[in-house]
Amino acid sequence: PPPPPPGPLANDSSKLVNDAAHPYQPLKDGDQRGPCPALNTLASHGYLPRNGIATPVQIVNAVQEGFNLENSFARFLVYSTFLVNGNPITNLMSIGAASPLTGPNPPAPATVAGLNTHNNCEGDTSMTRADAYFGDNHSFNETRFQNLVKYSNLYGNGKYNYTVAARLREYLINDSIANNPQFTLVSPRLFTAFAESVFPVNFFIDGRDKSGQLDLDVARSFFQNMTFPKDFYRRDGAVSNVGQDVVTDYCQFKPGYNAKGVNSFIVDPTSATLDQPCVRYTNFVNGLIKSLYPNPTGVLKEALNTNLQYLYEATVASGDGCTQVFPYGQ
Ligand code: HEM
Ligand code: MG
């Protein structure tokens, strides 16, 4: 069975992470990179396998070691993406597109197509990647980065901070409502969209700098170049989505989608809202996972149950107090 995820770091103080043991190396043919600037960077510096194919344990270790992401949050993020986008039999996931390196796929309707997969964790209104409707949901997009620059200039004196995060998120949502006929922002993507807005402030600022203001060259280093800045120290002390309330309070967004083309946004009452983590967990397991794996047997069923157990344990560790659900029996 897949091994359990690691616990928190023994020492979560700030330290040099762009060190001699983890040099940046350019991509080789076939290496995978995808929509997440943090995982891309960790792979390019060897905190993750440089080919971009990794196990859940490797990803939890890498986001803790390289960025100081809090343990229970890291575990939830990793298992919720792995259960949809990873291969439960080989225990491997691509941080980008589907890859033969994750091994033979389980039977359809399972997809196992890597983190580029639309509408699980990846979804609309990304800061530096286009909506999937426009064709490429994972490559760095300069036009969108320039929006981040513009909002940082307007509301952050040329730096990206929580105030900028809130204004930019509102803009990105309105922009997708107005231009993407297939725009949707519901659970589970809803949760990652709002958390990712504050991640650059929480994790991309050097640990010795307590200003809460992210320099835009540093932002570009992560978002586009997949590189730690020279001499980069990780943040001091593990943290998750602190600051997100600044964004949610400002946006007052209710999950929903464009029902009939652009500018036809309606609220989706079946989606978990941001204050309903257990509805998110239950619907994810009984809805999405069950639809991808309707009747697993043997090793596949065992692996799914083990990963579902790790997902549930992450909700317990986060203090959410959800009731465990068992789509494949106990
Ligand atoms: C997107 C940062 C961990 C999967 C993003 C984005 C940021 C970010 C800033 C938004 C990119 C954009 O909007 O253009 C981070 C940081 C992490 C972290 C700082 C750890 C400290 C993870 C983990 C996973 C993950 C553990 C899954 C295993 C993704 C995916 C997206 C994404 C699938 C695309 C979502 C979208 O459509 O915007 N990440 N991430 N990330 N991240 Fe991460
Ligand atoms: Mg996206």
Side-chain angles (χ1 to χ4, degrees):
L9 292 176
N11 178 349
D12 70 355
S13 56
S14 182
K15 69 168 185 181
L16 180 71
V17 288
N18 192 1
D19 59 7
H22 300 91
Y24 172 83
Q25 283 173 22
L27 297 194
K28 297 205 180 77
D29 269 1
D31 288 355
Q32 294 295 333
R33 297 292 183 269
C36 176
L39 299 181
N40 291 347
T41 299
L42 291 167
S44 291
H45 283 269
Y47 281 97
L48 283 173
R50 292 181 184 270
N51 65 5
I53 310 294
T55 69
V57 167
Q58 286 173 327
I59 300 175
V60 175
N61 277 325
V63 293
Q64 293 191 153
E65 186 63 20
F67 284 108
N68 235 335
L69 184 58
E70 187 274 326
N71 180 254
S72 65
F73 199 90
R75 282 153 55 194
F76 191 87
L77 206 51
V78 169
Y79 286 100
S80 61
T81 51
F82 184 78
L83 276 156
V84 175
N85 305 330
N87 186 329
I89 304 291
T90 60
N91 204 32
L92 292 169
M93 177 165 73
S94 163
I95 66 167
S99 159
L101 296 180
T102 58
N105 279 353
T111 48
V112 188
L115 287 186
N116 290 358
T117 304
H118 185 50
N119 271 348
N120 171 37
C121 182
E122 193 291 314
D124 294 338
T125 70
S126 301
M127 292 175 282
T128 66
R129 271 71 176 161
D131 287 3
Y133 172 79
F134 299 106
D136 181 348
N137 68 352
H138 52 274
S139 307
F140 176 80
N141 181 309
E142 182 66 35
T143 309
R144 289 181 85 88
F145 188 73
Q146 285 308 319
N147 286 323
L148 188 151
V149 170
K150 178 176 151 190
Y151 276 76
S152 300
N153 287 332
L154 279 171
Y155 300 107
N157 284 316
K159 309 273 182 178
Y160 184 85
N161 59 29
Y162 293 147
T163 306
V164 177
R167 303 298 197 279
L168 179 62
R169 177 122 299 284
E170 177 191 56
Y171 165 80
L172 291 170
I173 290 171
N174 289 336
D175 179 57
S176 287
I177 290 174
N179 295 300
N180 176 357
Q182 289 169 14
F183 164 68
T184 172
L185 194 51
V186 300
S187 180
R189 165 59 184 160
L190 173 75
F191 288 83
T192 63
F194 279 86
E196 284 158 17
S197 280
V198 295
F199 273 14
V201 181
N202 296 351
F203 300 106
F204 293 166
I205 300 176
D206 189 284
R208 295 162 293 184
D209 174 354
K210 312 288 179 198
S211 68
Q213 313 294 316
L214 174 64
D215 179 88
L216 297 180
D217 290 331
V218 173
R220 186 185 284 281
S221 174
F222 287 107
F223 279 109
Q224 179 176 28
N225 302 334
M226 312 184 254
T227 317
F228 286 118
K230 189 174 179 307
D231 194 31
F232 186 80
Y233 278 52
R234 73 180 184 200
R235 61 160 295 111
D236 191 19
V239 82
S240 58
N241 59 341
V242 54
Q244 194 189 301
D245 54 330
V246 176
V247 184
T248 52
D249 289 355
Y250 179 76
C251 291
Q252 295 293 320
F253 178 76
K254 294 194 174 61
Y257 55 91
N258 271 343
K260 293 184 208 146
V262 297
N263 292 315
S264 65
F265 182 81
I266 59 169
V267 170
D268 178 357
T270 68
S271 169
T273 53
L274 287 165
D275 55 0
Q276 295 177 313
C278 294
V279 178
R280 171 200 196 186
Y281 159 75
T282 308
N283 289 352
F284 175 79
V285 175
N286 285 339
L288 193 50
I289 300 307
K290 185 86 184 161
S291 74
L292 293 169
Y293 294 98
N295 275 306
T297 56
V299 200
L300 177 60
K301 177 172 149 178
E302 269 176 53
L304 288 170
N305 273 337
T306 305
N307 285 313
L308 285 167
Q309 178 67 26
Y310 297 153
L311 179 75
Y312 175 69
E313 286 168 6
T315 72
V316 175
S318 306
D320 287 338
C322 308
T323 305
Q324 190 166 11
V325 289
F326 298 95
Y328 311 120
Q330 249 171 288

